[in-house]
């Protein structure tokens, strides 16, 4: 389905056949160019609606005259309809060759007489001369918005008068952000020099010693950041949070192609959280013969954090509950993991507060029951040794029910008392400490408790707050109910987060930008503008990419 157009200009006639919307106007890009001062660059559009009708859309405030009426939006055109745009006329008729519609447009003279409404576009023709009013208006603007505010800065005036006079607030290009509202009326706090953009020195009056993006900006290829202005990223006069840049483009400019920086060629490219973000990497503990070390590793189903702690989550979270001091108790995550003051994370697990009500550190020595102190192994050794020495000769009865094993040696059948060293080894290796801790031979083959590493945060380059996620069930992100090993890293991967969080252009999930999880000024020793200090190896070490 196409539309035939007949264009008549003077004695010349040409034909067009189009199958799409045509434009009419003064622009040389228009399908049909209509000369004249009263014609807009894109004055109207005409589209073929069916074999019997056209759709005309006015694109100029002046509209289009159709059958004697001014149309300023759109209307249908049928065979026999006529329209007029300035001196140019159009006529819709039937096409004898194709039985469709033919649009005949007659181009008039650009200087032909126009209507009174069109003539008013010419200010001179309307009886108006703008030179004098324009000069007066310019002087008034200059006086009210520049000279008077400048005068008010140096000449004190009564408050009642100052409230009705124009001030430099008239120059403001937008709202001051919430962070700077306390001096929003003092333009000079930032704009210290007239007709000069805000200098970094004005920012550093309050924000002195801003941390760099990297501890080693030279090797990271980031030393050029020191040449940037604060306002390159932190732009004021926008919305309530304008001073805090949140568009990922600022970050993606570098992180989309980290290979451009030689010392960061091992980094994964990042462009958008939903579409182009690598799997999370967690900081965990690794243990070997040399001791414990810290590494960063990609989160996966087999990722482990070797805590040195023995704790089966599944046994404590059974649906039927566990036996507590007051009977059966059904435990929940919050019984041990208590939110900190800001609900960003959780307080460190404390034995006396979170464990001792069920797990007493009791041990029987003869007829005496000792309650051993927690986290004080040397005190516990001395307490057990003193209790053994205090046992009267011939009164000891072996407590094999508690220990689960029978002593060997010449005193096995006679029930003679154990030595202090034997009982201390049993307390540490099987009966008490080993229930929750890794125990290994130490100096003089004495059992020693291995240090426990229970982290408060596994993401050293990101931040996360539980306060905004309180409505989510713990089990939706942490599979603790099926975990029998404390070394299992019960952290969700990126796909779990993506069930709710989308990228910067997300229309379904929570719109998530880089700074929702990552900071920029994160260095602890190097500050912006002063690249100082030595260059060392990054820690912790990396596992995978």
């Amino acid at each position: 389905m196409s539309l035939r157009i007949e264009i008549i200009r003077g004695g010349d006639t040409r034909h067009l056949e189009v199958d799409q919307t045509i434009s009419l106007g003064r622009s040389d890009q228009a399908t049909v160019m209509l000369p004249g001062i009263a014609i807009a660059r894109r004055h109207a559009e005409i589209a073929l609606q069916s074999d019997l009708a056209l759709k005309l859309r006015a694109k100029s405030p002046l509209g289009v005259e159709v059958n004697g009426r001014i149309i300023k939006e759109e209307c249908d055109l049928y065979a026999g309809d006529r329209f007029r745009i300035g001196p140019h006329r159009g006529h819709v008729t039937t096409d004898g060759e194709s039985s469709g519609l033919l649009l005949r447009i007659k181009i008039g003279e650009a200087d032909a007489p126009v209507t009174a409404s069109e003539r008013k576009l010419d200010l001179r023709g309307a009886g108006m001369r703008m030179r004098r009013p324009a000069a007066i208006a310019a002087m008034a603007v200059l006086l009210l918005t520049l000279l008077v505010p400048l005068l008010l800065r140096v000449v004190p005036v009564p408050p009642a008068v100052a409230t009705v006079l124009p001030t430099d607030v008239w120059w403001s290009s937008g709202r001051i952000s919430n962070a700077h509202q306390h001096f929003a009326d003092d333009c000079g706090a930032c704009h210290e020099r007239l007709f000069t953009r805000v200098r970094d020195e004005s920012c550093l009056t309050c924000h002195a010693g801003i941390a760099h993006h990297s501890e080693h900006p030279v090797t990271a290829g980031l030393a050029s950041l020191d040449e940037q202005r604060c306002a390159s990223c932190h732009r004021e006069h926008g919305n309530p949070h304008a001073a805090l840049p949140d568009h990922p483009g600022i970050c993606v400019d570098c992180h989309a192609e980290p290979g451009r920086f030689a010392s960061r060629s091992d980094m994964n490219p990042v462009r958008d959280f939903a579409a182009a973000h690598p799997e999370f990497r967690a900081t965990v503990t690794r243990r070997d013969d040399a001791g414990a070390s810290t590494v960063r590793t990609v989160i996966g189903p087999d990722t482990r954090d070797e805590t040195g702690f023995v704790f089966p989550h599944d046994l404590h979270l059974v649906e039927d509950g566990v036996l507590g001091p007051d009977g059966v108790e059904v435990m929940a995550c919050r019984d041990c993991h208590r939110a900190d003051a800001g609900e960003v994370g959780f307080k460190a697990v404390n034995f006396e507060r979170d464990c001792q009500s069920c797990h007493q550190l009791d041990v029987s020595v003869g007829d005496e029951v000792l309650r051993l102190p927690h986290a004080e192994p040397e005190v516990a050794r001395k307490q057990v040794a003193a209790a053994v020495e205090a046992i009267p000769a011939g009164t000891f009865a072996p407590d094999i029910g508690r220990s689960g094993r029978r002593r060997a040696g010449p005193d096995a059948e006679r029930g003679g008392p154990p030595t202090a060293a034997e009982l201390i080894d049993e307390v540490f290796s099987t009966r008490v400490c080993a229930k929750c801790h890794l125990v290994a031979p130490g100096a003089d083959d004495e059992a020693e408790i291995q240090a426990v590493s229970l982290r408060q945060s596994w993401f050293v380059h990101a931040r996360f707050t539980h306060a905004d996620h309180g409505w989510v069930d713990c089990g939706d992100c942490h599979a603790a109910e099926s975990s029998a090993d404390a070394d299992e890293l019960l952290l969700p991967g990126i796909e779990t987060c993506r069930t709710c969080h989308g990228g910067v252009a997300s229309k379904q999930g929570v719109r998530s930008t880089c700074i929702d999880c990552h900071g920029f000024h994160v260095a602890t020793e190097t500050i912006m503008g002063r690249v100082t200090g030595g260059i060392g190896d990054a820690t912790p070490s990396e596992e995978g990419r």
Side-chain angles (χ1 to χ4, degrees):
M1 188 169 62
S2 60
L3 172 65
R4 291 188 67 234
I5 304 173
E6 183 181 274
I7 303 173
I8 303 173
R9 188 187 301 269
D12 297 331
T13 301
R14 65 188 182 97
H15 295 83
L16 298 175
E17 187 166 342
V18 298
D19 56 0
Q20 58 188 2
T21 301
I22 68 169
S23 59
L24 309 175
R26 195 173 75 250
S27 171
D28 56 2
Q29 302 297 319
T31 309
V32 180
M33 183 177 176
L34 306 177
I37 189 66
I39 311 301
R41 292 180 58 80
R42 193 176 184 87
H43 203 102
E45 292 180 349
I46 296 179
L48 184 62
Q49 192 164 256
S50 67
D51 288 334
L52 301 176
L54 304 177
K55 176 70 73 175
L56 181 143
R57 300 184 184 90
K59 296 296 183 179
S60 167
L62 295 177
V64 178
E65 183 181 324
V66 179
N67 298 330
R69 296 174 55 223
I70 299 298
I71 302 298
K72 294 190 176 183
E73 293 185 356
E74 63 181 32
C75 69
D76 293 332
L77 298 177
Y78 300 95
D81 288 341
R82 299 176 182 273
F83 61 89
R84 181 172 179 271
I85 302 176
H88 316 291
R89 290 168 172 76
H91 180 210
V92 181
T93 184
T94 55
D95 185 1
E97 297 181 9
S98 63
S99 299
L101 293 178
L102 172 67
L103 177 61
R104 181 176 290 116
I105 300 176
K106 184 176 181 180
I107 307 297
E109 296 295 331
D111 56 352
V114 294
T115 65
S117 61
E118 295 168 335
R119 189 180 298 113
K120 288 180 181 178
L121 284 177
D122 185 344
L123 296 174
R124 185 183 298 274
M128 297 177 61
R129 296 180 180 272
M130 288 303 296
R131 178 173 299 176
R132 182 176 298 174
I136 295 173
M139 292 299 295
V141 170
L142 183 65
L143 176 66
L144 291 175
T145 64
L146 180 60
L147 298 182
V148 172
L150 285 175
L151 186 63
L152 292 178
R153 290 182 64 87
V154 296
V155 178
V157 295
V161 177
T163 56
V164 298
L165 291 176
T167 66
D168 52 7
V169 174
W170 286 25
W171 302 347
S172 175
S173 58
R175 185 188 189 280
I176 293 292
S177 64
N178 290 346
H180 296 153
Q181 277 295 316
H182 59 287
F183 58 82
D185 295 331
D186 183 11
C187 300
C190 297
H191 302 276
E192 296 179 328
R193 299 181 181 179
L194 294 176
F195 309 111
T196 302
R197 63 185 183 180
V198 175
R199 302 178 304 143
D200 288 351
E201 288 78 1
S202 301
C203 304
L204 296 176
T205 301
C206 298
H207 302 280
I210 293 296
H212 213 287
H213 188 48
S214 169
E215 295 292 2
H216 313 295
V218 175
T219 55
L222 302 176
S224 60
L225 286 174
D226 295 323
E227 302 171 4
Q228 303 296 318
R229 298 173 58 237
C230 300
S232 298
C233 298
H234 303 279
R235 302 177 183 273
E236 257 296 358
H237 297 289
N239 56 58
H241 307 288
L244 184 64
D246 64 352
H247 195 281
I250 298 177
C251 306
V252 171
D253 285 346
C254 292
H255 285 271
E257 299 180 31
R260 293 182 298 163
F261 307 98
S263 64
R264 291 295 179 264
S265 59
D266 60 333
M267 293 180 65
N268 290 291
V270 181
R271 294 180 179 85
D272 181 78
F273 181 76
H277 191 291
E279 181 57 88
F280 300 150
R281 284 188 292 180
T283 300
V284 298
T285 301
R286 290 283 182 265
R287 296 175 183 270
D288 53 28
D289 294 339
S293 60
T294 298
V295 299
R296 290 183 67 219
T297 184
V298 176
I299 291 180
D302 300 323
T303 305
R304 297 176 64 79
D305 183 18
E306 298 173 1
T307 61
F309 190 53
V310 179
F311 183 85
H313 280 87
D314 56 349
L315 294 185
H316 290 76
L317 294 175
V318 292
E319 293 184 2
D320 297 334
V322 297
L323 184 61
D326 299 321
V328 176
E329 298 180 15
V330 178
M331 298 189 66
C333 301
R334 62 179 176 274
D335 292 331
C336 298
H337 300 283
R338 305 169 194 269
D340 58 19
E343 296 187 7
V344 174
F346 296 91
K347 298 177 181 177
V349 175
N350 179 274
F351 174 80
E352 288 75 17
R353 183 190 65 211
D354 303 318
C355 310
Q356 195 171 34
S357 61
C358 295
H359 299 280
Q360 304 288 350
L361 303 184
D362 293 346
V363 60
S364 298
V365 180
D367 295 330
E368 184 180 0
V369 177
L370 300 179
R371 177 155 295 178
L372 303 178
H374 181 258
E376 299 183 67
E378 293 306 316
V379 175
R381 293 178 195 275
K382 294 177 181 179
Q383 193 173 347
V384 172
V388 171
E389 292 177 0
I391 298 175
T395 62
F396 178 80
D399 183 9
I400 62 173
R402 293 287 300 275
S403 67
R405 66 180 186 179
R406 186 182 296 275
R407 292 176 58 248
D411 294 329
E413 300 302 327
R414 296 193 298 272
T419 66
E422 290 175 332
L423 187 55
I424 289 172
D425 180 72
E426 188 172 342
V427 167
F428 276 72
S429 300
T430 58
R431 292 177 63 177
V432 180
C433 304
K435 300 290 186 182
C436 301
H437 296 275
L438 296 180
V439 181
D444 300 327
D445 289 332
E446 285 188 342
E448 287 189 357
I449 299 174
Q450 302 299 298
V452 174
S453 174
L454 295 180
R455 297 181 179 277
Q456 297 301 104
S457 174
W458 288 263
F459 298 119
V460 297
H461 295 310
R463 56 177 176 262
F464 176 86
T465 172
H466 284 84
D468 296 335
H469 298 80
W471 58 276
V472 181
D473 185 77
C474 301
D476 291 344
C477 300
H478 309 286
E481 293 183 355
S482 60
S483 173
D485 188 347
D487 288 354
E488 292 179 348
L489 187 66
L490 303 179
L491 294 180
I494 192 171
E495 291 305 323
T496 301
C497 299
R498 282 173 174 165
T499 58
C500 295
H501 291 268
V504 67
S506 173
K507 295 182 179 179
Q508 296 181 342
V510 179
R511 178 179 175 269
S512 302
T513 66
C514 301
I515 67 166
D516 289 333
C517 301
H518 303 282
F520 181 85
H521 298 286
V522 295
T524 57
E525 298 180 1
T526 310
I527 65 175
M528 294 294 295
R530 299 179 187 174
V531 178
T532 59
I535 300 172
D537 295 330
T539 58
S541 61
E542 303 283 337
E543 283 188 352
R545 291 185 59 189

